């Protein structure tokens, strides 16, 4: 019913979902109040989404940053696993941002897939490496991605694909439910609550995880530009949002509702343990050894 109603509301993603017979699931929330689908295992027929996107000629840019020690620690596994599971069958271009292009691992790519690297300078604070991704992504969408790809997905590098992360995840503006917060009451969401920050918000719809976001190149460009502006304004005012770029992403998504939401299957942390609603894991958090990774 939700799907049909949203089709009527002319959310483009929802009318596609209605025509491809996206189902509901009884045990979890599968629709937001603004009628965007929340995608869980068992709701969709993967073949229908793949065929639809192939016939539309969809193509996907994946951006990932591997700066400093993160390159050696994570990039090889990230890319190898994404070759196995990310948008298989669609044209994919990896945009790898690194300060050490000469150290890039040698990855054998499948047909239809290619890799471009972009050299970035290493900010000394890890918080700045993380936040400045917004600027680099918006720049590369403008200079390159928008001429070649329909969609853009942006990922943290400290994760590993373990199951299908496919075309059912594509949409105009896509956000991910944070694995640690999706089942918690809203007052425990860790939004930025400092009124002096541009990321300030009292309450919101969900707590989104900035390790995965995406959408059409236009939407992702708008999002990354707005977040970057918020980050720079904060710097001028000498404040920093609690969870950096993630706080700004949550603020943006409050004001510009995503048209599609991904369940935590799309970025799961096995430390959480068993949950009956997680029927498949598609992307897993890799171990985080911050002490060695983030030391200068
Ligand atoms: N990153 C990086 N080098 C750094 C810090 C961050 O390449 O020194 C990139 C990397 O892609 C990483 C992302 O920024 O996955 C976000 O940082 P991190 O994963 O440490 O944040 P967390 O997952 O703890 O929020
Ligand atoms: Mn991370």
């Amino acid at each position: 019913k939700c799907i049909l109603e949203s089709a009527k509301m002319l959310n483009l993603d929802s009318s596609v979902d209605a025509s491809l017979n996206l189902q509901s699931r009884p045990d979890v929330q599968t629709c937001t109040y603004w009628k965007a689908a929340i995608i869980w295992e068992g709701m969709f027929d993967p073949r229908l989404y793949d065929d639809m996107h192939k016939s539309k000629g969809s193509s996907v840019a994946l951006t990932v940053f591997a700066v400093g020690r993160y390159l050696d620690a994570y990039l090889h596994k990230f890319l190898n696993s994404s070759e196995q599971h990310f948008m298989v069958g669609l044209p994919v271009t990896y945009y790898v941002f690194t300060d050490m292009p000469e150290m890039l691992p040698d990855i054998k790519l499948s047909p239809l897939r290619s890799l471009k690297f972009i050299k970035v300078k290493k900010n000394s604070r890890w918080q700045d490496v993380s936040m400045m991704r917004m600027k680099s992504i918006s720049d590369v969408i403008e200079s390159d991605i928008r001429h070649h790809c329909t969609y853009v997905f942006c990922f943290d590098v400290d994760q590993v694909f373990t199951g299908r992360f496919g075309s059912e995840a594509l949409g105009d503006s896509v956000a991910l439910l944070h694995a640690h917060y999706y089942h918690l009451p809203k007052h425990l969401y860790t939004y930025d609550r400092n009124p002096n920050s541009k990321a300030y918000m009292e309450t919101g719809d969900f707590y989104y995880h900035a390790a995965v976001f995406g959408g059409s190149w236009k939407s992702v460009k708008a999002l990354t530009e707005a977040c970057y502006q918020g980050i720079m304004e904060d710097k001028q005012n000498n404040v920093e949002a609690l969870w950096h770029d993630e706080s700004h992403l949550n603020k943006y998504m409050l004001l510009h509702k995503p048209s599609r939401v991904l369940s935590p299957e799309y970025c799961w942390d096995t430390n959480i343990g068993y949950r009956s609603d997680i029927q498949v894991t598609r992307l897993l958090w890799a171990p985080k050894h911050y002490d060695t990774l983030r030391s200068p």
Side-chain angles (χ1 to χ4, degrees):
K1 178 159 163 285
C2 154
I3 309 295
L4 282 176
E5 274 174 27
S6 26
K8 275 188 246 147
M9 290 176 69
L10 291 178
N11 170 338
L12 216 55
D13 291 345
S14 305
S15 46
V16 167
D17 290 335
S19 70
L20 299 186
N21 197 26
L22 189 74
Q23 303 286 312
S24 199
R25 232 178 73 176
D27 58 327
V28 287
Q29 183 185 353
T30 57
C31 190
T32 67
Y33 79 78
W34 61 94
K35 306 295 178 200
I38 309 177
I39 309 294
W40 293 84
E41 172 67 359
M43 291 172 62
F44 58 91
D45 180 343
R47 274 172 322 166
L48 296 183
Y49 281 85
D50 288 350
D51 290 349
M52 194 262 303
H53 280 286
K54 277 179 201 161
S55 67
K56 280 207 315 190
S58 300
S59 55
V60 187
L62 182 161
T63 71
V64 67
F65 287 68
V67 175
R69 302 211 178 111
Y70 284 65
L71 193 156
D72 203 35
Y74 298 116
L75 186 62
H76 190 263
K77 266 189 117 174
F78 176 88
L79 289 174
N80 260 326
S81 64
S82 101
E83 278 297 284
Q84 302 305 312
H85 301 292
F86 181 75
M87 304 294 164
V88 174
L90 289 181
V92 171
T93 310
Y94 297 102
Y95 291 81
V96 178
F97 296 76
T98 180
D99 57 330
M100 299 178 288
E102 65 286 354
M103 301 274 288
L104 283 183
D106 192 21
I107 305 280
K108 191 160 163 19
L109 301 174
S110 308
L112 291 180
R113 301 169 83 97
S114 58
L115 187 148
K116 301 180 178 180
F117 77 82
I118 294 102
K119 190 161 172 157
V120 289
K121 80 173 182 15
K122 184 181 183 314
N123 278 293
S124 50
R125 295 175 65 243
W126 63 265
Q127 297 92 331
D128 285 328
V129 175
S130 188
M131 290 192 290
M132 289 309 150
R133 291 183 294 175
M134 293 296 185
K135 167 75 173 149
S136 307
I137 293 168
S138 98
D139 286 351
V140 81
I141 292 174
E142 179 61 28
S143 65
D144 188 320
I145 292 176
R146 71 194 194 97
H147 305 295
H148 302 291
C149 302
T150 333
Y151 296 99
V152 189
F153 256 94
C154 308
F155 286 90
D156 270 17
V157 74
D158 55 344
Q159 23 197 15
V160 181
F161 292 89
T162 53
R164 176 190 164 93
F165 196 122
S167 60
E168 74 282 359
L170 297 173
D172 183 52
S173 161
V174 185
L176 166 81
L177 299 185
H178 196 297
H180 289 195
Y181 295 96
Y182 76 104
H183 66 297
L184 292 181
K186 284 188 185 183
H187 72 271
L188 293 178
Y189 293 174
T190 54
Y191 297 135
D192 182 85
R193 298 243 163 63
N194 173 2
N196 296 324
S197 169
K198 292 299 283 180
Y200 167 80
M201 54 197 279
E202 266 313 319
T203 187
D205 307 304
F206 299 101
Y207 191 78
Y208 301 113
H209 191 178
V212 179
F213 59 90
S216 66
W217 68 259
K218 261 194 182 153
S219 300
V220 179
K221 186 163 187 312
L223 178 155
T224 48
E225 264 173 19
C227 290
Y228 177 63
Q229 268 175 24
I231 288 165
M232 293 316 281
E233 259 185 65
D234 276 6
K235 281 192 183 295
Q236 273 162 13
N237 297 325
N238 242 324
V239 290
E240 191 162 274
L242 179 63
W243 290 111
H244 321 108
D245 42 308
E246 184 163 87
S247 302
H248 290 276
L249 176 105
N250 271 280
K251 178 67 175 283
Y252 185 86
M253 291 293 182
L254 171 69
L255 303 175
H256 310 85
K257 309 291 189 209
S259 63
R260 202 164 194 73
V261 176
L262 302 179
S263 70
E265 298 163 353
Y266 287 83
C267 189
W268 188 245
D269 178 5
T270 49
N271 289 316
I272 294 172
Y274 174 77
R275 286 279 170 73
S276 63
D277 49 7
I278 304 296
Q279 298 184 354
V280 59
T281 56
R282 308 176 184 282
L283 178 70
L284 291 179
W285 296 24
K288 296 163 187 273
H289 303 291
Y290 291 138
D291 44 343
T292 50
L293 280 170
R294 287 176 173 171
S295 59

